[in-house]
Amino acid sequence: MPNTPATADYWEPLWAGGRRYREVTGAEATLLADHIGPGRGRPALDIGTGDGALARRLHQLGYRTTGIDFAPSAVAAARATPLSGHGAGPVLRLMDFVTDDLSALPDPAYAVVTCRLVYRWSEDKPAFLDRVRQVLAPGGTFWVVTEVAGRRETGDPRQGLGISPAEAEVLTAGWSVVRVADLDVLRCYALRP
């Protein structure tokens, strides 16, 4: 499957048209909590927040969460979803993580940086990872959820949607701790400097 551009010009019409993506399952939420632990007011950044589901999970775990996305309709959808019983909820911002000035983020460093169903679309994965390292606090966790290519049934037109073994190697290189857990076609990575 050809690489779809990671640009707002591509994704904005999909979000504006009502397209929604895979929900965070209970199993995925449990894995997240097990790998990152309680927030205790520490900052978390959700890159490509979409409808804000993962940002809300981080907030419920006690993180002071910022969710960013470059599609205005995605940010609007995230803002339109109420969070009951957990205060004001995450801060949601329109921002392109790849091209915008990272000093515009509300915190200089984050205890947790998440990237759910986004890494696969990054055109320059090493540059993307360099930017993650710029905002990840020492001892922090980079949580990545991505599809792995070839895990869907033969004939499924989305079979090549995930990352290749070479792209997985780029993702995991240079981290002192790499933990991996599989969920059907998805793989979750907990990476630490």
Side-chain angles (χ1 to χ4, degrees), residues 49-110:
T49 200
D51 67 4
L54 187 58
R56 287 188 296 280
R57 292 278 182 173
L58 291 165
H59 182 78
Q60 291 167 342
L61 289 170
Y63 287 90
R64 189 171 31 84
T65 306
T66 300
I68 61 171
D69 203 295
F70 58 30
S73 294
V75 174
R79 288 179 176 153
T81 305
L83 181 69
S84 60
H86 289 89
V91 171
L92 300 162
R93 289 190 163 182
L94 184 63
M95 181 177 185
D96 186 332
F97 182 75
V98 172
T99 60
D100 288 349
D101 182 357
L102 296 178
S103 68
L105 290 167
D107 291 284
Y110 293 85

Side-chain angles (χ1 to χ4, degrees), residues 25-45:
T25 64
E28 185 182 337
T30 298
L31 279 172
L32 172 71
D34 289 348
H35 282 90
I36 67 170
R40 296 186 292 271
R42 295 177 297 157
L45 177 65

